[in-house]
Amino acid sequence: MSQSPPNRALPWLEPGQAFPPVEEAWKETDPAPGLLAAGGVLDVPTLVAAYSRGIFPWYSAGQPILWWSTDPRMVLETAAFRLHRSLRKTIMRLLREGRLEVRFDHGFERVIKACAHTVRDGQSGTWILPAMVDAYVRLHQTGVAHSVETWIDGELAGGLYCINLGAMVYGESMFSRRSDASKIALAALVGFCRAHALPLIDCQQNTAHLASLGGKLMARDAFSRHVRMALLHPTPRWNFTPIYWQHILSEDGSQA
């Protein structure tokens, strides 16, 4: 990351103030590429306005709210999702034994708090601070934020939470208490997305793990165009039925 001074000052948002255009986010030559603005509030209207423009909050304890629009953007095209052969076998075995159940929105607050307390390689703390938890619980109560939960042997084993506006899905964070539980949740989400013609899941940050599952980088201008078009579509009803597994398990698209 470059340590040269930014080419322009970072905008400070007052509560209710509109976001600047995403093209004004800091560039590669700035200290934090993709950083768009600071300040504002984490209320429902602000968060909906942010995600409607492909902007997301991400900050640490002791910092103001920081708003980001990265370029390029890590995305997962649901048609390109790679279900590794070992995970496919695990899902099919658990389903055959009657031990696996996927639930949507059964325990959203439990999921986001579990994500907040998950220890991750290379991170000394969490960006899912109490204020973020409270904000996304309120967003969940409005039907915008959702949890995808992997239940194994009647216990919550892992999951993820995400945002859905129109035909656009924004993945936020995952956790596992048992091996592969978060990957199962992601596979279930992809099956749901395929069933409802939701073509893209935003992943925000580029990681080798996401790339191994089919994630790729997308230029911000292309991503922004996709978001604008996706918002024109209706939002699906969020529930999971076993038939959605057919959109994942019936394909011969597994990888070694």
Side-chain angles (χ1 to χ4, degrees):
M1 181 181 295
S2 172
Q3 295 302 314
S4 60
N7 296 329
R8 56 200 170 278
L10 184 68
W12 180 265
L13 301 178
E14 298 298 332
Q17 184 178 350
F19 289 98
V22 296
E23 294 79 12
E24 296 181 7
W26 281 3
K27 305 294 191 280
E28 286 297 326
T29 55
D30 294 324
L35 183 57
L36 178 66
V41 290
L42 291 173
D43 61 9
V44 169
T46 301
L47 287 169
V48 170
Y51 282 101
S52 296
R53 293 162 178 79
I55 301 165
F56 60 93
W58 185 39
Y59 65 103
S60 300
Q63 295 180 327
I65 302 170
L66 300 177
W67 301 93
W68 301 78
S69 176
T70 53
D71 186 19
R73 192 76 162 236
M74 190 70 170
V75 299
L76 176 62
E77 294 180 349
T78 56
F81 174 71
R82 297 174 188 159
L83 183 65
H84 291 205
R85 186 173 295 113
S86 60
L87 182 59
R88 183 177 186 271
K89 289 181 177 179
T90 296
I91 294 172
M92 294 185 69
R93 175 176 56 80
L94 289 171
L95 289 172
R96 185 172 60 251
E97 295 171 354
R99 299 171 55 202
L100 171 63
E101 181 184 5
V102 170
R103 304 177 187 175
F104 284 1
D105 296 332
H106 181 80
F108 181 89
E109 190 166 352
R110 289 180 64 186
V111 169
I112 190 172
K113 287 182 176 179
C115 291
H117 290 95
T118 294
V119 178
R120 306 181 194 278
D121 292 340
Q123 295 184 13
S124 58
T126 180
W127 59 273
I128 310 175
L129 303 170
M132 292 280 277
V133 172
D134 292 343
Y136 282 77
V137 167
R138 291 193 297 270
L139 205 58
H140 167 67
Q141 291 168 345
T142 68
V144 174
H146 301 277
S147 58
V148 180
E149 306 157 18
T150 301
W151 291 74
I152 299 176
D153 299 329
E155 297 182 352
L156 179 61
L160 60 87
Y161 72 99
C162 59
I163 305 298
N164 175 219
L165 295 170
M168 189 64 214
V169 177
Y170 299 87
E172 290 295 312
S173 188
M174 310 169 72
F175 82 98
S176 280
R177 292 175 179 157
R178 296 179 61 163
S179 178
D180 290 333
S182 62
K183 295 177 184 177
I184 292 172
L186 178 59
L189 175 60
V190 170
F192 172 82
C193 288
R194 289 179 177 178
H196 292 279
L198 308 179
L200 202 69
I201 300 173
D202 173 44
C203 304
Q204 299 174 355
Q205 303 294 327
N206 183 8
T207 68
H209 172 64
L210 289 169
S212 74
L213 298 175
K216 69 174 187 177
L217 293 174
M218 177 181 283
R220 181 170 55 211
D221 58 349
F223 178 76
S224 296
R225 287 195 300 270
H226 177 86
V227 170
R228 288 194 295 269
M229 294 300 296
L231 293 178
L232 300 177
H233 294 266
T235 301
R237 182 168 175 257
W238 277 70
N239 64 349
F240 189 86
T241 61
I243 196 173
Y244 294 150
W245 284 122
Q246 296 180 11
H247 294 270
I248 293 291
L249 301 177
S250 63
E251 300 180 356
D252 187 19
S254 58
Q255 305 291 319

